[in-house]
Amino acid sequence: MSGLLKSLLLVTVVSLLAGAEAQPAYGAEGTKVAIRTDPESIDKGRTIFNSKCFFCHDAESTKKKVGPGLKGVLKNPSLPVSGRPATAENIAKQLKTPFKEMPSFSYLSEEDVLNIIAFLNTL
């Protein structure tokens, strides 16, 4: 094995070991979701909510439609149906792998989920 090839192999191994772990996938257990607060994300989230969530969830109250009303959902200690802590991570999880009767929105992009969370944070 040539010296250059050995050096490249050594650099690759050291890089892999130094990098240690790969970044967890979005929404993976233990992954933190940063809540966006910029007006553009909130407006996009409102638009998505009104096209996908509005039919089952009331954003203006806690009254049940088909699903629970979501006013103050991220300001409460727990989510209304699952009882999980009311965190952005658990909202993302609920959208992708829902608890109980809620349909899955696994097709939503990470961007869409983050924008929905930005909107929900304003309720």
Side-chain angles (χ1 to χ4, degrees), residues 5 7 13 22 27 44 51 62 67 69 81 94 121:
L5 189 55
S7 295
V13 169
K44 286 179 180 179
S51 71
T62 57
V81 176
Q94 181 69 19
N121 192 49

Side-chain angles (χ1 to χ4, degrees), residues 43 51 56 65 75 86 104:
D43 287 342
S51 71
C56 295
K65 277 182 155 181
K75 293 166 181 61
S104 173

Side-chain angles (χ1 to χ4, degrees), residues 77-86 90 94 99:
S78 59
L79 297 177
V81 176
S82 69
R84 294 176 181 139
N90 282 332
Q94 181 69 19
F99 182 79

Side-chain angles (χ1 to χ4, degrees), residues 48-59 65:
I48 298 165
F49 181 92
N50 287 335
S51 71
K52 309 265 185 224
C53 314
F54 166 80
F55 308 102
C56 295
H57 298 283
D58 186 348
K65 277 182 155 181

Side-chain angles (χ1 to χ4, degrees), residues 71-101:
K71 184 173 183 171
V73 70
L74 282 167
K75 293 166 181 61
N76 293 321
S78 59
L79 297 177
V81 176
S82 69
R84 294 176 181 139
T87 64
E89 295 78 19
N90 282 332
I91 295 284
K93 185 176 184 175
Q94 181 69 19
L95 288 167
K96 298 289 188 168
T97 55
F99 182 79
K100 285 210 166 191
E101 293 89 25

Side-chain angles (χ1 to χ4, degrees), residues 24-52:
Y26 168 75
E29 206 62 41
T31 304
K32 279 298 239 184
V33 175
I35 298 177
R36 296 175 174 180
T37 57
D38 62 284
E40 185 179 354
S41 295
I42 293 166
D43 287 342
K44 286 179 180 179
R46 180 182 292 109
T47 299
I48 298 165
F49 181 92
N50 287 335
S51 71
K52 309 265 185 224

